[in-house]
C-alpha cells in the first residue's frame, strides 16, 4: 500500500484525474490528454491504458489473451525507467508495431531482440525488455507495452476511434514535476487547463474538472478499503508486538527481582543507575536482535506462502506483490529498538517498593492485550468463515467462466 513506485525519484510523480460529480477519480480521454500535455508547463505528463490482446509467439502457435499497457512513447523516459535489455520507444515510433516485453513474460517466452511476436494477429518487433518487478499497479503485472497510437494506425483491434473520441475516457495519467515546480503550482495550472477544456468542449466535458494529487494521496483516496485494510494489518502487528513486549518485560522484571542481591552488591561496589540501565538495555538489545532475526525469517517464509496462495486462478497475472526490501529491514530494526526500550528499562524504572505493583500491572496488561488479540482473531475467523460459506443462490462448484472476443482473431 505504501511502497513507492519503482521509478526514478518517485516523490516527483503525481496523478491527474478527470473528476465529475459521479466519478471523483475518473479516467481521461486521449484528446483531453493531448491538449493537456501541449499546454502544461509545470510537469511532463504520460498516459497508459490497460489492454487485453491475443498474444502468440509465432504464426500457428496457440494464442492467449494477455494484459498489457498501451502507453505514450515517452512513457519510460518520463518515469525514469531504463530497460533491462534493449531500448524503449522512440518519439517517431508512436504508430509503429514495436513492443517492450515485461521481464517475467520474457523469461517465460525468451525471444531475442529484433524478433517478432504476434499481438492481435499483427507482428510486433521486440525492441526491449522492462526491468524486473516494474509496474505501476499494486496487483496487476502487465506482460507487454505498445505505443498507444497503434490503435490509430489500425494495428490492434478496437471499437470506433479511441484516439479521436473525446468522450471515451480510458487513460490513466501520470506526471513528473519539473525542476523547481511544486505540487500546488501543478495543481493550479492543470485545474485551469481542465476548466478551459470543459468550456471549449461542453458536449463531452461539461461538469468535469482536472484534479492533481500526489501519488500516495491518490492511492489512499481512490481506494479507501485498501487503506482500511492496511491500517488493520498494522494494528494487528502492533498488538502482537505489544503482547510480546509485555511478556518479555514481565520476565525481565522477575529476573531483576531474583537478582536483587546481585544488584545491591553492584550498587555497593559503586555501580550507578546509568551503568545498571546500560546493562539492562544491552541484555534487551540482545533479546530483541535475536527476535528480529527470527521474525524476519518467519516473515520471509510467510511472504513466500502469500505469493503462491494469494494468486488468482486466472491466465492474467494478478497477484499480491509481497516482497521484503530495505524498508522492511528498517521497520524491523526500528521495532527491535522500540521493544528494547520498552522491556529493557522495566527493571531500572521499577523501584523496590513498587516491584509487586509493577509486576501486577504487567500481568494485567498481558492478559488484556492477549484477550484483545484473541477476540480480534476470533472475529476475523468468523468473518472469513461467513464469507466462504455464503450462499450466492446458485451452484459454484464445477462452474467455469470465460470471455470470448472474436475481434482478437
Amino acid at each position: 500500500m505504501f511502497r513507492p513506485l519503482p521509478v526514478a525519484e518517485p516523490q516527483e510523480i503525481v496523478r491527474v484525474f478527470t473528476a465529475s460529480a459521479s466519478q471523483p477519480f475518473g479516467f481521461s480521454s486521449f484528446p483531453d490528454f493531448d491538449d493537456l500535455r501541449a499546454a502544461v508547463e509545470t510537469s511532463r505528463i504520460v498516459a497508459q491504458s490497460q489492454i487485453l490482446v491475443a498474444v502468440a509467439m509465432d504464426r500457428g502457435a496457440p494464442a492467449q489473451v494477455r494484459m498489457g499497457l498501451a502507453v505514450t512513447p515517452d512513457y519510460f523516459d518520463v518515469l525514469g525507467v531504463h530497460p533491462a535489455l534493449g531500448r524503449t520507444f522512440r518519439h517517431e515510433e508512436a504508430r509503429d508495431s514495436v513492443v517492450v516485453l515485461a521481464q517475467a513474460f520474457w523469461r517465460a517466452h525468451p525471444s531475442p531482440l529484433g524478433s517478432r511476436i504476434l499481438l492481435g494477429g499483427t507482428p510486433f518487433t521486440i525492441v526491449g525488455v522492462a526491468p524486473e518487478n516494474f509496474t505501476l499497479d499494486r496487483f496487476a503485472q502487465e506482460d507487454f507495452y505498445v505505443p498507444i497510437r497503434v490503435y490509430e494506425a489500425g494495428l490492434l483491434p478496437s471499437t470506433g476511434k479511441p484516439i479521436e473520441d473525446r468522450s471515451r475516457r480510458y487513460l490513466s495519467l501520470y506526471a513528473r514535476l519539473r525542476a523547481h515546480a511544486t505540487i500546488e503550482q501543478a495543481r493550479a495550472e492543470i485545474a485551469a487547463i481542465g476548466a478551459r477544456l470543459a468550456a471549449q468542449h461542453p458536449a463531452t466535458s461539461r461538469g468535469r474538472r482536472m484534479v492533481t494529487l500526489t501519488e500516495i494521496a491518490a492511492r489512499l483516496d481512490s481506494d479507501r478499503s485498501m487503506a482500511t485494510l492496511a491500517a488493520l494489518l498494522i494494528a494487528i502487528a502492533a498488538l502482537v508486538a505489544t503482547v510480546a513486549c509485555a511478556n518479555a518485560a514481565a520476565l525481565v522484571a522477575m529476573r531483576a527481582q531474583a537478582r536483587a542481591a546481585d544488584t545491591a552488591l553492584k550498587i555497593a561496589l559503586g555501580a550507578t543507575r546509568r551503568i545498571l540501565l546500560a546493562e539492562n538495555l544491552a541484555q534487551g538489545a540482545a533479546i530483541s536482535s535475536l527476535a528480529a532475526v527470527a521474525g524476519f525469517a518467519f516473515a520471509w517464509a510467510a511472504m513466500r506462502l502469500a505469493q503462491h496462495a494469494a494468486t488468482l486462478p486466472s491466465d492474467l497475472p494478478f497477484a499480491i506483490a509481497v516482497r521484503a526490501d530495505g524498508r522492511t529491514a528498517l521497520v524491523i530494526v526500528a521495532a527491535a529498538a522500540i521493544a528494547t526500550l520498552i522491556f529493557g528499562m522495566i527493571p531500572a524504572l521499577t523501584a523496590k517498593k513498587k516491584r509487586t505493583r509493577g509486576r501486577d500491572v504487567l500481568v494485567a496488561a498481558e492478559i488484556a492485550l492477549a484477550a484483545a488479540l484473541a477476540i480480534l482473531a476470533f472475529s476475523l475467523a468468523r468473518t472469513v468463515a461467513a464469507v466462504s460459506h455464503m450462499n450466492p443462490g446458485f451452484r459454484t462448484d464445477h462452474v467455469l467462466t470465460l470471455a470470448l472476443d472474436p475481434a482478437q482473431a
Side-chain angles (χ1 to χ4, degrees):
M1 185 65 194
F2 303 105
R3 182 186 302 154
L5 294 179
V7 302
E9 306 297 335
Q11 71 278 4
E12 297 177 356
I13 301 298
V14 298
R15 296 287 307 274
V16 180
F17 300 94
T18 298
S20 64
S22 59
Q23 289 184 315
F25 303 100
F27 296 113
S28 297
S29 66
F30 189 88
D32 281 348
F33 157 73
D34 213 20
D35 292 341
L36 174 63
R37 178 176 56 175
V40 70
E41 296 181 353
T42 55
S43 58
R44 298 171 62 192
I45 302 180
V46 295
Q48 70 172 41
S49 175
Q50 287 184 344
I51 58 175
L52 297 176
V53 177
V55 178
M57 300 312 296
D58 52 59
R59 294 196 181 278
Q64 285 188 321
V65 175
R66 310 297 295 185
M67 186 180 68
L69 287 183
V71 301
T72 49
D74 57 347
Y75 180 77
F76 294 99
D77 293 336
V78 171
L79 293 177
V81 175
H82 303 288
L85 291 174
R87 61 174 178 84
T88 56
F89 304 124
R90 298 181 178 131
H91 180 72
E92 61 271 16
E93 292 177 329
R95 296 162 51 93
D96 294 350
S97 55
V98 290
V99 61
V100 172
L101 299 182
Q103 188 161 140
F105 182 83
W106 177 75
R107 285 179 176 174
H109 307 85
S111 302
L113 298 179
S115 61
R116 294 193 170 187
I117 184 175
L118 296 177
L119 302 181
T122 301
F124 276 69
T125 302
I126 301 172
V127 297
V129 177
E132 188 174 7
N133 295 324
F134 170 69
T135 180
L136 303 188
D137 195 287
R138 295 192 303 279
F139 305 111
Q141 172 65 66
E142 56 273 358
D143 289 321
F144 61 89
Y145 310 84
V146 296
I148 196 169
R149 285 187 179 271
V150 296
Y151 285 95
E152 189 177 40
L155 296 175
L156 289 179
S158 64
T159 303
K161 298 181 178 181
I163 299 298
E164 302 174 14
D165 191 348
R166 196 175 292 271
S167 64
R168 291 184 63 173
R169 306 185 184 278
Y170 56 93
L171 293 179
S172 299
L173 304 187
Y174 291 82
R176 179 178 293 277
L177 298 175
R178 294 187 183 274
H180 309 301
T182 65
I183 180 66
E184 290 77 14
Q185 292 171 334
R187 184 178 289 120
E189 182 189 33
I190 292 173
I193 297 173
R196 186 166 69 245
L197 291 177
Q200 292 173 351
H201 308 280
T204 57
S205 302
R206 186 187 302 275
R208 298 183 181 272
R209 66 189 189 281
M210 288 190 170
V211 177
T212 306
L213 297 173
T214 62
E215 204 277 328
I216 186 63
R219 291 192 216 181
L220 296 175
D221 292 347
S222 61
D223 193 345
R224 298 295 179 89
S225 62
M226 282 302 300
T228 303
L229 178 59
L232 177 62
L233 293 176
I234 291 173
I236 293 174
L239 188 58
V240 172
T242 305
V243 172
C245 286
N247 290 337
L251 293 174
V252 171
M254 292 172 63
R255 183 172 181 271
Q257 186 174 355
R259 298 183 60 188
D262 292 342
T263 303
L265 180 59
K266 290 179 181 179
I267 295 175
L269 293 175
T272 63
R273 182 176 292 272
R274 180 177 299 179
I275 293 176
L276 296 176
L277 177 60
E279 181 181 335
N280 289 329
L281 289 178
Q283 294 174 356
I287 297 174
S288 295
S289 298
L290 291 174
V293 172
F296 187 84
F298 183 80
W300 186 86
M303 177 189 70
R304 301 292 295 178
L305 178 63
Q307 288 175 337
H308 291 88
T311 301
L312 295 180
S314 169
D315 290 336
L316 302 180
F318 289 101
I320 299 177
V322 184
R323 62 176 179 265
D325 52 22
R327 297 177 307 117
T328 310
L330 286 176
V331 171
I332 291 177
V333 171
I338 294 173
T340 299
L341 293 176
I342 290 176
F343 73 80
M345 296 177 66
I346 292 296
L349 297 179
T350 305
K352 276 187 178 181
K353 295 181 180 179
K354 296 183 180 180
R355 273 189 190 142
T356 303
R357 188 173 65 181
R359 188 172 64 239
D360 292 343
V361 170
L362 284 174
V363 172
E366 287 182 80
I367 295 174
L369 291 170
L373 189 61
I375 292 171
L376 185 61
F378 179 71
S379 176
L380 183 61
R382 283 189 59 187
T383 302
V384 172
V387 171
S388 61
H389 292 89
M390 185 180 295
N391 183 8
F394 54 89
R395 283 187 58 185
T396 57
D397 59 312
H398 296 83
V399 176
L400 305 178
T401 64
L402 63 89
L404 179 65
D405 185 0
Q408 296 287 356

